[in-house]
């Protein structure tokens, strides 16, 4: 199954405080992320999108500076589309991996984008982590972001090979909740993206974790004489 963060904000906003998770299921990959973006100690966006489109069969989640994660994933998505037109074949996950890690290595970590790449192609489901300096790993499950340690604890306790779609989605949501409830940089809602050979299901706001417990009355009506001394 796969889970990860990335969003669209101002240049100084950060997506690095969210958990990002990915793991491989029977016939595909699951990605998940929370939806909080921070600017220092301020919550800049309560419902940002952290799961980025790369190709019709590939998605990517990233932690770090929002402007960097958005720019890098958009650039690679554009290049893959041109490559697809030139070759006439479906995009390969390893091609996206090569483009991402080459770009990040070139800038020696100054592009603050820590990514988790997942997708399904003719060779089956794939899951890779890409660090800001350009190093990569191929793993059955992975997490990134400041809430990732909490999520990794859930994975290490409950992950098993060849999970069904339902089991994977439940574990993904549970891991996100662990990050949200135990890390101040993570919060708001749960997004899921299930990628299989035949379809992609992007489940925006799959779970609402921090909904308002009251309804504000507006405009507020005060009885006559309230402000009288």
């Amino acid at each position: 199954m796969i889970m990860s963060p990335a969003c669209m904000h101002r240049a100084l906003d950060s997506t690095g405080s969210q958990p990002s998770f990915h793991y491989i299921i029977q016939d595909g990959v699951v990605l998940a992320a929370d939806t909080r973006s921070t600017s220092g100690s301020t919550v800049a966006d309560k419902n940002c999108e952290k799961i980025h489109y790369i190709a019709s069969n590939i998605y990517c989640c990233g932690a770090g500076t929002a402007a960097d994660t958005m720019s890098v994933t958009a650039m690679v998505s554009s290049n893959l589309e041109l490559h697809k037109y030139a070759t006439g074949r479906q995009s390969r996950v390893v091609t996206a991996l090569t483009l991402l890690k080459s770009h990040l290595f070139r800038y020696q970590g100054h592009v603050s984008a820590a990514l988790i790449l997942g997708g399904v192609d003719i060779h089956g489901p794939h899951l890779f982590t890409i660090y800001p300096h350009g190093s990569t790993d191929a793993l059955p499950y992975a997490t990134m972001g400041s809430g990732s340690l909490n999520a990794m604890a859930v994975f290490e306790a409950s992950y098993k090979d060849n999970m069904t779609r339902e089991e994977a989605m439940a574990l993904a949501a549970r891991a996100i909740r662990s990050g949200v409830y135990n890390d101040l940089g993570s919060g708001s809602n749960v997004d899921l993206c299930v990628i299989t050979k035949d379809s992609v299901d992007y489940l925006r706001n799959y779970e609402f974790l921090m909904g308002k417990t009251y309804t504000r009355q507006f405009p507020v009506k005060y009885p006559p004489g309230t402000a009288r001394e």
Side-chain angles (χ1 to χ4, degrees), residues 168-199:
M169 292 173 64
L171 179 59
R174 180 183 163 202
I176 293 289
R177 290 196 301 271
S178 177
V180 166
Y181 292 143
N182 294 282
D183 172 50
L184 292 177
S186 306
S188 297
N189 311 316
V190 176
D191 287 350
L192 291 183
C193 183
V194 183
I195 306 172
T196 63
K197 179 180 178 181
D198 301 318
S199 66

Side-chain angles (χ1 to χ4, degrees), residues 10-31:
R10 294 175 292 265
L12 295 180
D13 293 349
S14 171
T15 66
S17 41
Q18 301 82 352
S20 60
F21 325 107
H22 299 234
Y23 47 93
I24 296 175
I25 56 177
Q26 284 179 347
D27 59 346
V29 172
V30 177
L31 305 86

Side-chain angles (χ1 to χ4, degrees), residues 138-162:
L139 301 165
Y141 60 89
T143 67
M144 275 191 177
S146 65
S148 62
L149 294 180
N150 308 105
M152 182 58 76
V154 173
F155 280 162
E156 290 182 342
S158 303
Y159 175 83
K160 59 183 179 181
D161 292 334
N162 297 317

Side-chain angles (χ1 to χ4, degrees), residues 51-137:
I51 304 176
H52 295 269
Y53 174 89
I54 299 293
S56 59
N57 59 316
I58 306 170
Y59 280 74
C60 181
C61 303
T65 302
D68 288 343
T69 57
M70 185 176 67
S71 177
V72 169
T73 53
M75 177 192 68
V76 170
S77 177
S78 176
N79 288 339
L80 276 184
E81 189 71 14
L82 293 174
H83 185 267
K84 179 180 178 180
Y85 285 138
T87 60
R89 68 181 190 182
Q90 184 188 55
S91 299
R92 306 291 194 263
V93 182
V94 70
T95 306
L97 172 70
T98 301
L99 291 171
L100 287 167
K101 72 179 183 180
S102 298
H103 180 78
L104 293 176
F105 178 75
R106 185 179 304 123
Y107 288 92
Q108 292 292 293
H110 293 289
V111 175
S112 181
L115 309 171
I116 300 182
L117 182 71
V120 180
D121 57 27
I122 62 170
H123 300 295
H126 301 273
L127 177 63
F128 300 101
T129 58
I130 310 161
Y131 294 88
H133 287 79
S135 59
T136 63
D137 288 320

